Amino acid sequence: MYPFKYHRPTSLEEAASLYNGSDDPVYLSGGMTLIPTMKQRLAAPADVIDLSGIESLTGISVKGDKLTIGAFTTHAAVMASADVRKHIPVLAYLAAQIGDAQVRNRGTIGGSVANSDPSADYPAAIVSLGTTIHCQNRSIDGTEFFKDLFETALEPGEIITSIEFSMPTRAAYRKFPNPASRYAVVGVLVADFGGSIRVGVTGAGPCACRASGMEKVLNDNLKPAAIDAVEVPDAGFNSDLHASAEYRAHLVKVMAKRAVAAMLEG
Amino acid sequence: MSNADTGIGASVKRREDLRFITGEGTYTDDLNQPGQTYAAFVRSPYARARIDAIDVSDALNVDGVIMILTGADMAADGLGDLPCGWMVKQKDGSDMVTAPHPPLATELVNYVGEPYALVIADSRHAARQGAEAVMTDFHELNPVVNLASAAQSEQIHAGIPDNRAYDWELGDKPATEAALAGAAHITRLDLINNRLIPNAMEPRAALGVYEKGTGDYTLYTTSQNPHLERLVLSAFVQVAPEHKLRVVAPDVGGGFGSKIFVYAEETAVIWAAAKVGRPVKWVADRSESFLADAHGRDHVTHVELGLDQSGRFVGLKVQTTANLGAYLSLFGSAVPTYLYGTLLAGQYRTPNIYVEVQGVYTNTSPVDAYRGAGRPEATYVLERVVETAARELGRDPADLRRMNMIQPGDFPYQTPVALVYDIGDYEASLDRALEAIDYQGFPARRIASKDQGKRRGIGFACYIEACGLAPSQLAIQLGAGVGLYESGEIRLNPTGNATVFTGSHSHGQGHETTFAQIVSDKLGIPFDDVEVVHGDTGRVEFGLGTYGSRSLAVGGSALMMAGDKIIAKGRRIAAHLMQASVDDVSFEDGKFLLAASNQSVTIQEVAFAAYVPTSYPEDLEPGLSEKAFYDPKNFTYPAGTHIAEVEIDEATGEVDLVALVAVDDFGEIINPMIVEGQVHGGLAQGVGQALLEHGIYDEQGQLVTGSLMDYCMPRADNLPDFIVDTTITPCTHNPLGAKGCGEAGAIGSTAAVMNAVTDALGVKDLSMPATSEKVWRILKGE
Ligand SMILES: Cc1cc2nc3c(=O)[nH]c(=O)nc-3n(C[C@H](O)[C@H](O)[C@H](O)COP(=O)(O)OP(=O)(O)OC[C@H]3O[C@@H](n4cnc5c(N)ncnc54)[C@H](O)[C@@H]3O)c2cc1C
């Protein structure tokens, strides 16, 4: 690790001003992505601004038909939350699939979403669960948040403060884990919003996206077999040591079918 | 006194575990010395390049950097090369061709991660900063990465054409070829044994200390064999003479073979300690371990098995190309030859066997022994081809093996590939394993799986292995550079407890418990009164360390011999104390007895008398401390049957290992719980090779699987509940009747799992690891 200055602001304003005052700043949330990168000397920020001191970033609340999760909330907290389990059980299930216990105890939803790792799990939920990403001064629609490999709609210095989720009537997530890292080779979340089906896919392409073709056939015929008719071209899909683009395209369909089946079984 | 709970055969809990699981172990990185400095290695970013210039001026200006040493500095100090400890003779009788292996590269670098300089600094951080600031002009050369075409590629080392270190053979070629020509059926297979990267939990580390006042060197390092380390460093590298060098291997967190070898890093660290005049410490990080630990396996093989009309094996021919990496590591030459070719008879009476092995250099990390070392590779070849033959002939794979097995009446059995098996009962293990897996029920289970979109397969491996490499004289004739005996010493202290010294080294095997059980049982003293000392050339007389599942069979036997000497001397002392003749004194359960008078003295009383000789035999030396060197007469031959059952998800290609049975014959067992633990660990590694692990270099020789995010180690959820059991035929030639259990799990299971996968898929072969995508492509008909 290269030397850096560590800061622990207690308000969003302080965090932003620290950020603006530095030549090479970075926000630190759970550190499960950032710290390993720094340890491998692949990142050398001058100032590390730890968000853990900002109380307003943590917590889960329900208001009307929305559930809101603070950016600094850990995967473990999401997994264990009674509110999440009651209103969006698929989210608790998804959080439980992330990494291992240590990672879940440190890693946060804000960090995961801000990072836009192509194989992260949460993004499948962000694009499919009618979400709004709240930042200090604006809000971004979840379907417009992920731009590319590790790229999001966030402006430099912008902090995700919380994420607001709509509540599907039912939903299911199925993930094909990378055997080594346990990240998603492919993950598919299928959600039913009172007859309107949304499908979020992570792992396959450079960033998470909705699968409109699948949504269309499922809206007509909500059965796993309906997916068979959908073409999933592998153009632009990721291809690496663990899975070719072609295999990923195949897995998208398999995981989608399994998610639909799981959702129907309840 | 009864030792039923702690003696031989008792599942005593491992006494060392308390310190390990409470964070109280003392690993090399836990040791610190006053004034200590830190080393960071400067490593080659290229697989093959010429070093044109090294500019250290910027690096020397980094805050905290004390000294920078290069390969040239080392050469100037007259340090020798890292040797290969086994000289393999080629087919034509000539010696293998060894490329010089300077600890720090000087003119050429030959694999990514090869060290060519080290930076010594006040802090770990400064050392790293310094290493990054070293500016090197490299002239890149074309790397040789592909094993199969290495012989036709550019020459890596001067004077070594075809990149071939040796062309070796064993067995009768004409007889084998004639047998194959006359065979009713020949089964042929082309196999790849995938490269593995060991990944011990504790990375390698070294702390070198030099005392100016005395000229003494002490090296603390992660070694499986500190005496061998000292021998190599003094005799070959010539860092310091043997009597001025102490090597300590404190608690070591796993080795799996990778910590047998003498590496560049500890060599450089102990040398640098004298140059800097302060202790020097280096601890590898995981990325360095991936690049610079010796890797394992990596063979390409063509095999042919000939059978007669009835299914009897008549001939076996094996042609293997073994990847040695960029340099010959300490035992890198022996693993694919004497530890591989000699095992190809397996459990069978195949009368004609011929094997030839080309050992080839490539621009990759050196390859050497990894858990099983040659025997897993041999088992893989033989058990895959036997299973394939059964399928081709429509025979039951268990029956075909059974009809070819060496029978209990055949021992001692001379194989056509040099070894003489002393004892075994292979069908006993096979029968037990068939029962444990419920072989009868398999067809029904296969149908049940099919109904759920899953393909089920079953696979066997009836392996043999050879432990406790021996005997010394024969091994030395065959090219070994050292003997293969082990030392043991028992010191009975005046108060009657015992300090036991062994040349074996425990880095996870539990010797502190097992060896205490042996001595406690042998001398009838309480288990808690026995302390086992290992891993320090300053305390233990000599030793060859722990590898090849040799510790119990060889090191344990040495302790039995030392115990006999203690008892023999004790009888003389006891006879004197009881005023009887030595011949009338017997020893049992810690007591010297005089049958006639029902008199007895305890071993503790005898020990006291030996040190406080108030009343003592006139012609006897005081003290009660005895040592022994045990040189085995033969290898030991553990054997067994492993059976795997897999279920394959037809939609994704995922392989789920649903059952794994291991029935092993390890001879007599000292601690069944520890044996079971060793088997579990071995099985996990064997399964890892079959399904998950693969060390991959790209065409440029960059290690693609250089982290645990890409190199897939097996985890608990990849494994079923193992069913393990043992059968026993006691080893005929050592005093414990023990054979060795450390590697068997990794030797049999890989072939069993791959036989199950190919059975489920109905294909002849697929290369390991059987990843989901590979399996999916086969299911798709590709
Ligand atoms: C071994 C391992 C296994 C893993 N497995 C999985 C897995 O299976 N699935 C999965 O989805 N993930 C996995 N992860 C990643 C894990 O979920 C991380 O926690 C997550 O990607 C990042 O969250 P974090 O809180 O640790 O963020 P950090 O590492 O602290 O930050 C990540 C990035 O986001 C930025 N950032 C953080 N918070 C904010 C914010 N509020 N606003 C703006 N920017 C912010 C940081 O500046 C940084 O660039 C794994 C990680 C590890 C180490």
Side-chain angles (χ1 to χ4, degrees):
Chain A
M1 213 180 267
Y2 296 100
F4 58 87
K5 267 211 202 96
Y6 172 81
H7 310 270
R8 191 162 183 266
T10 52
S11 70
L12 287 167
E13 295 70 32
E14 193 191 345
S17 92
L18 282 165
Y19 193 98
N20 293 327
S22 165
D23 285 342
D24 191 2
V26 69
Y27 292 125
L28 170 70
S29 191
M32 291 293 94
T33 295
L34 182 61
I35 303 283
T37 324
M38 289 171 65
K39 276 170 75 178
Q40 291 184 304
R41 303 167 89 86
L42 298 170
D47 294 273
V48 171
I49 304 161
D50 183 354
L51 301 177
S52 67
I54 307 171
E55 265 173 43
S56 63
L57 293 182
T58 310
I60 298 170
S61 61
V62 178
K63 224 187 239 154
D65 60 354
K66 302 285 182 193
L67 181 140
T68 301
I69 302 178
F72 198 76
T73 309
T74 62
H75 311 328
V78 171
M79 239 171 91
S81 157
D83 280 334
V84 175
R85 284 164 176 250
K86 180 167 169 211
H87 298 291
I88 318 182
V90 71
L91 209 51
Y93 172 88
L94 177 148
Q97 310 302 307
I98 297 175
D100 49 44
Q102 289 91 329
V103 168
R104 292 191 293 269
N105 282 332
R106 293 290 310 176
T108 66
I109 189 166
S112 175
V113 173
N115 197 44
S116 185
D117 188 310
S119 49
D121 291 291
Y122 270 128
I126 300 298
V127 296
S128 62
L129 290 181
T131 56
T132 308
I133 316 288
H134 296 295
C135 306
Q136 297 112 307
N137 301 315
R138 62 169 179 149
S139 298
I140 306 165
D141 187 301
T143 56
E144 278 157 22
F145 185 79
F146 300 108
K147 296 298 182 194
D148 206 341
L149 209 66
F150 300 104
E151 264 179 47
T152 68
L154 289 176
E155 297 291 337
E158 242 181 330
I159 297 174
I160 299 178
T161 54
S162 66
I163 299 168
E164 190 179 304
F165 291 85
S166 308
M167 299 173 185
T169 36
R170 51 187 179 164
Y173 178 64
R174 285 296 177 269
K175 162 185 186 178
F176 190 85
N178 173 323
S181 73
R182 304 293 168 98
Y183 273 87
V185 170
V186 161
V188 179
L189 196 148
V190 176
D192 182 355
F193 284 90
S196 163
I197 302 298
R198 296 194 196 164
V199 180
V201 177
T202 191
C207 61
C209 63
R210 272 173 70 175
S212 45
M214 287 195 193
E215 292 180 355
K216 213 153 117 212
V217 301
L218 291 172
N219 274 324
D220 290 345
N221 179 14
L222 190 51
K223 290 211 178 73
I227 306 272
D228 287 335
V230 183
E231 285 262 355
V232 180
D234 62 15
F237 275 11
N238 308 324
S239 184
D240 57 30
L241 200 62
H242 304 284
S244 65
E246 185 192 0
Y247 184 48
R248 278 190 159 87
H250 169 75
L251 288 176
V252 168
K253 288 177 76 166
V254 178
M255 292 302 118
K257 284 167 85 168
R258 290 185 180 172
V260 172
M263 184 178 86
L264 294 176
E265 275 167 29
Chain B
M1 167 193 0
S2 159
N3 274 347
D5 298 337
T6 56
I8 289 177
S11 283
V12 183
K13 281 201 181 143
R14 305 203 325 171
R15 50 160 60 153
E16 45 269 79
D17 285 351
L18 183 66
R19 72 175 190 273
F20 293 154
I21 62 178
T22 55
E24 297 295 316
T26 305
Y27 297 89
T28 300
D29 194 24
D30 294 322
L31 299 167
N32 293 293
Q33 293 279 326
Q36 174 177 301
T37 65
Y38 298 83
F41 286 87
V42 193
R43 297 179 184 278
S44 172
Y46 300 114
R48 185 164 171 241
R50 197 177 66 221
I51 300 176
D52 283 341
I54 303 174
D55 178 358
V56 299
S57 49
D58 283 355
L60 280 170
N61 283 329
V62 170
D63 232 15
V65 168
I66 299 165
M67 190 182 274
I68 298 175
L69 296 164
T70 64
D73 296 321
M74 207 178 232
D77 273 10
L79 259 62
D81 287 340
L82 295 173
C84 176
W86 197 299
M87 176 54 75
V88 166
K89 291 267 187 220
Q90 307 203 59
K91 282 177 183 168
D92 63 6
S94 64
D95 286 348
M96 68 181 187
V97 220
T98 312
H101 186 191
L104 296 178
T106 49
E107 283 147 36
L108 294 163
V109 282
N110 280 310
Y111 65 94
V112 171
E114 180 173 3
Y116 62 91
L118 83 160
V119 177
I120 294 156
D122 280 329
S123 68
R124 205 167 272 183
H125 173 69
R128 285 252 178 145
Q129 293 286 97
E132 275 181 19
V134 172
M135 296 297 158
T136 309
D137 287 343
F138 287 105
H139 177 86
E140 278 185 75
L141 301 166
N142 291 327
V144 178
V145 183
N146 186 300
L147 174 59
S149 62
Q152 292 82 46
S153 306
E154 275 186 39
Q155 188 172 320
I156 299 172
H157 298 290
I160 306 185
D162 304 331
N163 293 316
R164 196 165 62 206
Y166 54 74
D167 180 9
W168 176 86
E169 67 181 347
L170 183 67
D172 189 335
K173 185 176 187 181
T176 303
E177 285 178 347
L180 286 171
H185 179 84
I186 299 180
T187 295
R188 298 179 175 85
L189 258 185
D190 288 292
L191 297 168
I192 295 175
N193 204 291
N194 44 326
R195 178 181 280 244
L196 302 180
I197 303 179
N199 276 303
M201 203 179 291
E202 181 205 18
R204 286 191 292 118
L207 169 59
V209 183
Y210 174 68
E211 311 276 352
K212 227 179 275 169
T214 58
D216 288 340
Y217 290 78
T218 306
L219 173 65
Y220 301 90
T221 191
T222 48
S223 175
Q224 298 181 211
N225 38 6
H227 289 87
L228 192 62
E229 178 97 32
R230 183 180 64 161
L231 182 65
V232 169
L233 287 177
S234 42
F236 296 92
V237 187
Q238 300 186 328
V239 173
E242 211 171 354
H243 67 298
K244 298 302 269 181
L245 174 60
R246 175 178 167 207
V247 177
V248 184
D251 285 333
V252 175
F256 312 111
S258 71
K259 292 172 181 167
I260 298 173
F261 327 121
V262 178
Y263 287 93
E265 289 87 354
E266 66 259 24
T267 306
V269 157
I270 187 71
W271 164 69
K275 294 199 85 75
V276 189
R278 286 163 66 180
V280 180
K281 185 187 219 177
W282 166 78
V283 181
D285 61 22
R286 185 61 61 186
S287 309
E288 278 183 296
S289 305
F290 268 102
L291 293 174
D293 287 4
H295 296 176
R297 318 279 194 256
D298 208 345
H299 289 189
V300 175
T301 293
H302 176 75
V303 54
E304 299 186 1
L305 175 69
L307 302 91
D308 69 13
Q309 284 296 351
S310 66
R312 277 184 213 287
F313 305 159
V314 296
L316 177 77
K317 187 175 170 194
V318 177
Q319 292 156 298
T320 293
T321 307
N323 198 342
L324 304 171
Y327 302 98
L328 274 172
S329 174
L330 195 60
F331 292 114
S333 58
V335 173
T337 51
Y338 288 104
L339 297 179
Y340 168 71
T342 50
L343 274 299
L344 286 166
Q347 301 187 352
Y348 312 115
R349 281 190 289 208
T350 316
N352 303 291
I353 301 176
Y354 175 71
V355 50
E356 54 189 346
V357 180
Q358 317 259 327
V360 169
Y361 290 105
T362 59
N363 291 113
T364 62
S365 180
V367 179
D368 205 325
Y370 173 64
R371 201 170 194 167
R375 293 101 84 206
E377 295 91 316
T379 302
Y380 191 68
V381 168
L382 185 61
E383 289 305 293
R384 289 296 316 284
V385 78
V386 166
E387 190 101 359
T388 308
R391 286 176 198 160
E392 286 177 351
L393 295 172
R395 297 283 294 264
D396 179 279
D399 287 348
L400 186 70
R401 286 179 167 87
R402 192 188 295 279
M403 79 172 284
N404 283 286
M405 277 177 178
I406 299 161
Q407 295 302 309
D410 297 340
F411 296 103
Y413 179 81
Q414 170 71 59
T415 74
V417 275
L419 300 180
V420 180
Y421 300 166
D422 64 333
I423 192 169
D425 185 352
Y426 307 139
E427 278 191 84
S429 298
L430 175 62
D431 287 337
R432 193 80 69 81
L434 288 171
E435 199 179 304
I437 197 101
D438 179 21
Y439 190 49
Q440 298 297 323
F442 177 73
R445 293 196 293 280
R446 179 171 244 171
I447 291 166
S449 297
K450 181 116 195 119
D451 293 344
Q452 295 177 6
K454 306 257 170 93
R455 293 210 194 171
R456 205 175 186 99
I458 194 165
F460 293 75
C462 298
Y463 74 93
I464 184 127
E465 72 131 327
C467 299
L469 196 56
S472 292
Q473 280 197 17
L474 179 68
I476 290 167
Q477 272 168 28
L478 294 177
V482 286
L484 296 158
Y485 48 80
E486 194 48 89
S487 83
E489 181 176 352
I490 302 173
R491 283 186 208 159
L492 275 191
N493 301 312
T495 52
N497 49 32
T499 311
V500 171
F501 300 83
T502 173
S504 292
H505 180 265
S506 184
H507 37 278
Q509 294 86 349
H511 296 169
E512 290 169 34
T513 304
T514 320
F515 286 15
Q517 285 180 258
I518 293 172
V519 172
S520 154
D521 198 280
K522 178 85 185 166
L523 299 183
I525 58 178
F527 174 75
D528 288 335
D529 282 358
V530 185
E531 182 71 12
V532 177
V533 176
H534 62 98
D536 184 349
T537 65
R539 297 188 70 191
V540 179
E541 175 166 315
F542 196 73
L544 290 160
T546 287
Y547 52 85
S549 303
R550 68 192 299 275
S551 297
L552 181 65
V554 190
S557 294
L559 287 177
M560 292 292 279
M561 286 170 62
D564 285 334
K565 292 186 186 176
I566 293 270
I567 293 166
K569 184 168 179 182
R571 280 176 65 209
R572 294 184 62 186
I573 302 169
H576 181 88
L577 292 175
M578 294 187 285
Q579 295 177 342
S581 134
V582 178
D583 294 338
D584 296 334
V585 177
S586 62
F587 181 74
E588 204 177 302
D589 284 344
K591 284 197 185 98
F592 293 93
L593 307 163
L594 203 55
S597 64
N598 223 3
Q599 250 183 302
S600 71
V601 289
T602 65
I603 190 164
Q604 289 84 357
E605 289 167 327
V606 166
F608 187 78
Y611 289 98
V612 188
T614 344
S615 165
Y616 202 70
E618 241 171 44
D619 53 348
L620 198 64
E621 289 174 37
L624 195 51
S625 172
E626 295 289 346
K627 64 185 170 225
F629 278 71
Y630 176 72
D631 194 0
K633 293 181 195 65
N634 191 353
F635 285 89
T636 65
Y637 297 98
T641 295
H642 294 182
I643 306 179
E645 219 170 290
V646 300
E647 240 185 10
I648 291 175
D649 183 330
E650 292 199 318
T652 61
E654 270 172 296
V655 178
D656 185 12
L657 179 64
V658 290
L660 186 57
V661 166
V663 180
D664 302 293
D665 176 359
F666 298 133
E668 298 292 354
I669 288 173
I670 309 301
N671 183 319
M673 182 198 67
I674 289 181
V675 168
E676 197 173 330
Q678 290 291 310
V679 173
H680 278 220
L683 292 174
Q685 280 171 301
V687 173
Q689 170 163 30
L691 299 180
L692 305 165
E693 299 182 47
H694 197 184
I696 301 173
Y697 284 93
D698 69 12
E699 283 169 12
Q700 291 311 308
Q702 296 291 335
L703 183 65
V704 183
T705 51
S707 91
L708 292 171
M709 296 298 260
D710 288 315
Y711 185 90
C712 188
M713 295 292 286
R715 285 172 243 187
D717 65 353
N718 297 122
L719 304 164
D721 277 341
F722 299 135
I723 304 169
V724 303
D725 199 354
T726 51
T727 57
I728 296 177
T729 59
C731 170
T732 58
H733 53 79
N734 69 42
L736 285 164
K739 296 181 181 175
C741 69
E743 295 159 293
I747 291 172
S749 57
T750 308
V753 171
M754 288 309 291
N755 281 335
V757 170
T758 49
D759 178 47
L761 292 172
V763 294
K764 201 162 168 178
D765 187 37
L766 80 155
S767 63
M768 295 189 286
T771 60
S772 51
E773 179 163 0
K774 278 188 210 164
V775 171
W776 170 71
R777 289 189 178 280
I778 287 172
L779 288 166
K780 216 154 74 95
E782 278 182 20

